[in-house]
């Protein structure tokens, strides 16, 4: 069955440090890939998406993600984390052109001052 | 555009009562989704519509749940009768043809 795995439940980084959140998917073809962020009590906000083409995609708030077909991964990165980045991050895939988004379990990011 | 609008933001109801959640999608979006978020199960897709027609309701947990989309600008998710295990945050989302989904702020439902 298709699945999305975010292996890290929590990650803590210091403000100003770099960040990488992992995402792996299980699917034969290349799906559409997304990263969303959810602040407490809020809905999900789209950070970035990958459909095709350049495997390094830029998003909002200084985030980027790289699609690696050989590893079935779509990891999210940010070179310098700000305290306001503390939130929960969800990786999602859209399979079979069905328009259904399948979400990972999320990674909660904590930022140390 | 104001984005996806959900109402109410919070709902507290007694077990056995009927609950109706409402959603106004972004104008021009052909797809509408209802998701449920809980600590135990994460984000679950309940049902989605294309051009007001339900396409996949395999995520609807029980017959107590029903969803309608009478027109392109309005959808409801109804739970009747409600149970404490239905307590969760319910999100509505609408999407472009390319599958990029935009989410509402959610409705936090508490069934006591």
């Amino acid at each position: 069955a298709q699945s999305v795995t975010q292996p890290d439940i929590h990650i803590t980084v210091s403000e100003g440090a770099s960040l990488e959140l992992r995402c792996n998917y299980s699917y034969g073809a290349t799906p559409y890939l997304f990263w969303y962020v959810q602040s407490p009590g809020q809905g999900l906000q789209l950070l970035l998406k990958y459909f095709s083409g350049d495997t390094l995609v830029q998003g909002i708030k200084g985030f980027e993600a790289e699609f690696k077909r050989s590893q079935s991964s779509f990891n999210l990165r940010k070179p310098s984390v700000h305290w306001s980045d503390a939130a929960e991050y969800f990786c999602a895939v859209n399979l079979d052109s069905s328009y259904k988004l399948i979400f990972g379990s999320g990674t909660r990011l904590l930022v140390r001052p | 555009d104001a984005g996806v609008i959900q109402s109410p933001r919070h709902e507290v109801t007694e077990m056995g009562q009927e609950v109706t959640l409402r959603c106004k999608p972004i104008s021009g979006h052909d797809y509408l989704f209802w998701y449920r978020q809980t600590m135990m199960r994460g984000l679950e897709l309940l049902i989605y519509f294309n051009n007001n027609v339900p396409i996949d309701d395999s995520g609807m947990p029980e017959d107590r749940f029903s969803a309608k989309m009478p027109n392109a600008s309005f959808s409801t998710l109804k739970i009747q009768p409600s149970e404490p295990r239905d307590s969760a945050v319910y999100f509505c989302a609408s999407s472009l043809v390319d599958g990029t989904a935009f989410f509402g702020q959610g409705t936090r439902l508490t069934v006591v």
Side-chain angles (χ1 to χ4, degrees):
Chain A
Q2 300 93 348
S3 65
V4 181
T5 302
Q6 293 181 248
D8 303 305
I9 298 174
H10 296 99
I11 282 187
T12 301
V13 299
S14 297
E15 191 167 16
S18 63
L19 170 70
E20 183 168 27
L21 303 182
R22 296 182 291 167
C23 173
N24 293 93
Y25 64 91
S26 170
Y27 185 60
T30 299
Y32 292 176
L33 297 156
F34 305 81
W35 275 100
Y36 285 84
V37 60
Q38 184 181 28
S39 298
Q42 301 297 312
L44 281 74
Q45 181 184 19
L46 178 69
L47 285 175
L48 48 78
K49 60 187 178 183
Y50 172 79
F51 291 169
S52 64
D54 192 345
T55 57
L56 184 64
V57 294
Q58 302 297 319
I60 63 171
K61 305 185 180 187
F63 285 92
E64 65 178 28
E66 185 172 13
F67 169 61
K68 293 186 177 180
R69 184 190 307 274
S70 61
Q71 299 176 19
S72 297
S73 69
F74 188 56
N75 294 348
L76 182 70
R77 301 194 295 247
K78 186 169 185 178
S80 177
V81 170
H82 187 263
W83 64 266
S84 60
D85 294 324
E88 188 147 21
Y89 292 79
F90 292 93
C91 180
V93 302
N94 178 324
L95 305 173
D96 297 322
S97 300
S98 68
Y99 305 101
K100 295 194 300 185
L101 278 179
I102 308 299
F103 284 88
S105 54
T107 298
R108 183 168 297 278
L109 173 65
L110 304 174
V111 180
R112 281 193 298 255
Chain B
D1 199 315
V4 176
I5 299 173
Q6 291 186 246
S7 64
R9 289 294 310 277
H10 302 274
E11 176 81 39
V12 180
T13 191
E14 291 186 346
M15 182 174 61
Q17 296 298 305
E18 177 180 293
V19 175
T20 299
L21 311 182
R22 297 173 176 81
C23 175
K24 182 182 187 316
I26 294 173
S27 177
H29 284 192
D30 291 330
Y31 292 84
L32 183 139
F33 306 84
W34 283 99
Y35 285 87
R36 178 171 68 176
Q37 185 178 38
T38 60
M39 290 291 292
M40 292 299 296
R41 301 173 69 90
L43 275 160
E44 303 173 277
L45 176 65
L46 300 177
I47 185 171
Y48 80 98
F49 296 82
N50 176 215
N51 291 325
N52 314 337
V53 176
I55 302 300
D56 185 347
D57 65 354
S58 60
M60 297 285 262
E62 300 172 32
D63 291 345
R64 298 184 296 106
F65 286 69
S66 62
K68 294 182 179 179
M69 192 165 185
N71 57 62
S73 59
F74 185 66
S75 177
T76 59
L77 178 68
K78 187 175 294 186
I79 308 172
Q80 166 63 18
S82 58
E83 297 182 3
R85 60 193 167 120
D86 302 331
S87 297
V89 181
Y90 291 81
F91 287 104
C92 176
S94 65
S95 82
L96 304 167
V97 175
D98 67 6
T100 305
F102 295 85
F103 283 76
Q105 297 280 66
T107 295
R108 181 174 296 278
L109 173 65
T110 303
V111 183
V112 298

